Amino acid sequence: MAGRGRLKAAVYVQDPATREELILLPGESPDPEVAVLITNPDAWAEVLEESDSELIAVGEPEPTERDSAVEAAGAEAGGGAKKPQARRSRSSGS
């Protein structure tokens, strides 16, 4: 899991290039060169699988200007506009 995701705990590591001590804070995503130095799996937040990371919208879509204009026109016409009834197919029976 090292090298992927964000940290959930503060971690102290030594920069491999400069040998300086680095303090990485929770929520940070360190560079891969530094991340490989963090071997404690408890330091990492759970990582979503690639297919799980896709955002999914929940709820109704935002109204467009056209939808708002239609609703406003219906309100001015004395209430809500009636929806036409769905057509029923005729049966070919007797």
Side-chain angles (χ1 to χ4, degrees):
M1 182 184 303
R4 292 185 59 202
R6 297 189 180 278
L7 294 171
K8 69 176 181 180
V11 178
Y12 296 84
V13 294
Q14 191 176 53
D15 187 297
T18 64
R19 302 288 185 211
E20 292 181 78
E21 185 175 283
L22 300 174
I23 302 172
L24 304 172
L25 300 175
E28 289 186 23
S29 296
D31 293 333
E33 304 84 36
V34 176
V36 297
L37 301 173
I38 304 168
T39 58
N40 186 346
D42 292 334
W44 296 99
E46 289 187 29
V47 178
L48 297 174
E49 294 298 321
E50 292 296 325
S51 61
D52 293 342
S53 64
E54 183 178 326
L55 298 176
I56 300 172
V58 178
E60 295 187 20
E62 295 292 324
T64 61
E65 290 181 29
R66 181 178 175 272
D67 293 339
S68 299
V70 170
E71 288 177 11
E76 291 175 5
K82 291 185 179 179
K83 291 184 178 178
Q85 291 184 349
R87 290 187 172 192
R88 295 183 185 172
S89 60
R90 294 185 181 179
S91 61
S92 60
S94 56

